[in-house]
Amino acid sequence: MIQINSNFMRLPESYLFSDIARRVREFAGANPTVEIIRMGIGDVTRPICPAAIEAMQKAVAEMGARETFRGYGPEQGYDFLREAIADHDYRSRGIDIATDEIFVSDGAKSDTGNIGDILAADCRVAVTDPVYPVYVDTNLMGGRREPVLLPCTADNDFCPDLPAEPVDMIYLCYPNNPTGTVLTRSQLEVWVNYALRHRALILFDSAYEAYISAESTDVPHSIYEIEGAKECAVEFRSFSKTAGFTGLRCGYTVVPRSVKALDVISGREVSLNRLWLRRQTTKFNGASYVTQRGAAAVYTAEGQRQVSETIAYYMTNAATLRSGLRECGLSVYGGEDAPYVWVKTPGGCGSWEFFDRLLQLGVVSTPGCGFGKAGEGYIRLTAFNTLENTRRAVALLRGL
Ligand code: MLT
């Protein structure tokens, strides 16, 4: 009889955010008069920035005319977008990234999961705890062992300690999802030096780098700001939380040619860039031309101004949450360089119990334990709702 990939049986019954969506649906069905304020999944509420919309409208018109129609594009992305990324996100910060080290995709979520395809199934994975569940689940699906957990709590100021046992792949997400905290340059240096020393690979998810405030000059936007990172790190970025692309889908992954890993069969070191190209050209047909035109417009002066405005808006929400919840007597972390606010539940209340209490008020959060054991006793709120709803949520929480 046909057999399943039994690794799927090692996963929780459902994906965290699907589980929350189901509970919210049930609650809304049973309580139709309660207005729901969604601060659970990190989905944005402001529309796609106008510069991207205008560029996509032009691209749609091109696709409808015989002279300008385009069929299959390059799987790794059009040069117009890869060059804009290299110039704006890297060269402008003094980081030398070549366009063929950039791979445009349908988002960071897929790439952080798919990257495991090019690495050995017996690689040992380390993740921070709490963590974005995609890193854990996709590695279990690929047959890897349970990851080594690196607890990040208020006790260690949300800065993970180096693993006590050898690991090969280390997922770091900074600014962090879910805690909203950051690592300073010297804290990130410790990790790069570890990876170089142990020949490990850092998978650096910097989907939220645009949220680092101008005052936080000691917080790196890219791991490649750290010396040696081009030998040991792959970086993931996204247009979701900046230009509003959560429903449109576009992101990119940087795989420097200098990042190498061992092929145990030949005993040779192989460039991950070559393997990722091979993987993408086989399993992926590229983000759509229209989407990539939209993404490229984000890098125009107008696009940048619009994105900054959106981020400032969400960060006003984050500040509103931080101060409002503190006034309620809650301990609050993150939310200064990230759109997530991490809240300690009061009186030793469990994460799901506190989630339910907030849901009764109509406020949707994410229970911290959904991100891992060390997240128990916390909940996460996002700053992605409207300012009005954020204020309403704070007012409702005051009544707790
Ligand atoms: C989250 O809520 O953690 C994010 O929205 C997940 C994602 O970006 O896929």
Side-chain angles (χ1 to χ4, degrees), residues 15-17 40-43 109 132-134 177-178 207-208 238 240-241 246 249 340 366 371 380 382 384:
Y15 180 56
L16 172 65
F17 294 108
I41 192 164
D43 198 2
K109 177 180 180 175
Y132 181 41
V134 171
N177 177 14
Y208 302 97
S238 165
S240 286
K241 315 293 161 82
T246 49
R249 308 308 307 151
Y340 295 122
T366 306
F371 297 103
R380 189 193 75 175
T382 83
F384 289 128

Side-chain angles (χ1 to χ4, degrees), residues 106-334:
D106 64 349
K109 177 180 180 175
S110 354
D111 284 359
T112 55
N114 290 335
I115 196 80
D117 279 10
I118 63 168
L119 300 162
D122 57 4
C123 281
R124 199 73 213 271
V125 179
V127 296
T128 58
D129 177 12
V131 72
Y132 181 41
V134 171
Y135 313 151
V136 176
D137 290 359
T138 54
N139 278 288
L140 292 179
M141 286 173 187
R144 297 200 174 87
R145 277 179 286 168
E146 289 289 336
V148 172
L149 301 177
L150 311 168
C152 293
T153 61
D155 292 339
N156 63 0
D157 223 3
F158 300 96
C159 176
D161 287 334
L162 292 175
E165 54 196 294
V167 296
D168 309 294
M169 297 159 60
I170 304 149
Y171 281 89
L172 294 177
C173 171
Y174 286 97
N176 187 253
N177 177 14
T179 64
T181 57
V182 289
L183 288 187
T184 61
R185 200 170 301 279
S186 55
Q187 287 171 326
L188 195 52
E189 267 164 15
V190 169
W191 282 96
V192 170
N193 292 335
Y194 172 91
L196 291 171
R197 228 175 24 254
H198 294 267
R199 306 299 316 268
L201 176 67
I202 297 179
L203 299 160
F204 193 73
D205 185 347
S206 59
Y208 302 97
E209 66 77 32
Y211 286 84
I212 298 171
S213 86
E215 288 80 55
S216 299
T217 50
D218 199 26
V219 177
H221 286 250
S222 163
I223 194 160
Y224 304 119
E225 289 177 42
I226 310 294
E227 206 184 323
K230 274 183 73 181
E231 273 68 58
C232 64
V234 164
E235 179 162 287
F236 306 92
R237 293 262 184 116
S238 165
F239 295 96
S240 286
K241 315 293 161 82
T242 52
F245 278 34
T246 49
L248 188 62
R249 308 308 307 151
C250 196
Y252 67 87
T253 291
V254 179
V255 189
R257 280 192 302 272
S258 41
V259 179
K260 302 211 165 125
L262 182 69
D263 170 29
V264 284
I265 297 189
S266 65
R268 280 189 304 128
E269 289 196 355
V270 178
S271 161
L272 292 192
N273 180 286
R274 196 183 111 196
L275 293 193
W276 187 242
L277 178 65
R278 187 69 182 81
R279 192 256 174 224
Q280 291 298 80
T281 47
T282 305
K283 288 197 176 182
F284 184 57
N285 253 339
S288 80
Y289 172 68
V290 174
T291 301
Q292 291 190 61
R293 277 292 179 202
V298 170
Y299 293 109
T300 60
E302 198 51 15
Q304 285 296 291
R305 197 189 51 72
Q306 293 162 359
V307 164
S308 305
E309 239 174 58
T310 292
I311 289 175
Y313 179 89
Y314 291 139
M315 289 314 280
T316 304
N317 294 349
T320 305
L321 282 174
R322 279 171 56 82
S323 58
L325 299 183
R326 282 203 170 134
E327 280 163 25
C328 302
L330 294 165
S331 300
V332 179
Y333 307 93

Side-chain angles (χ1 to χ4, degrees), residues 327-384:
E327 280 163 25
C328 302
L330 294 165
S331 300
V332 179
Y333 307 93
E336 284 174 307
D337 295 297
Y340 295 122
V341 172
W342 190 241
V343 186
K344 184 95 191 94
T345 60
C349 181
S351 293
W352 276 114
E353 190 190 334
F354 199 53
F355 167 90
D356 281 333
R357 279 172 65 188
L358 298 194
L359 188 56
Q360 291 304 316
L361 303 172
V363 178
V364 182
S365 62
T366 306
C369 60
F371 297 103
K373 252 197 347 241
E376 179 53 84
Y378 293 89
I379 55 137
R380 189 193 75 175
L381 291 171
T382 83
F384 289 128

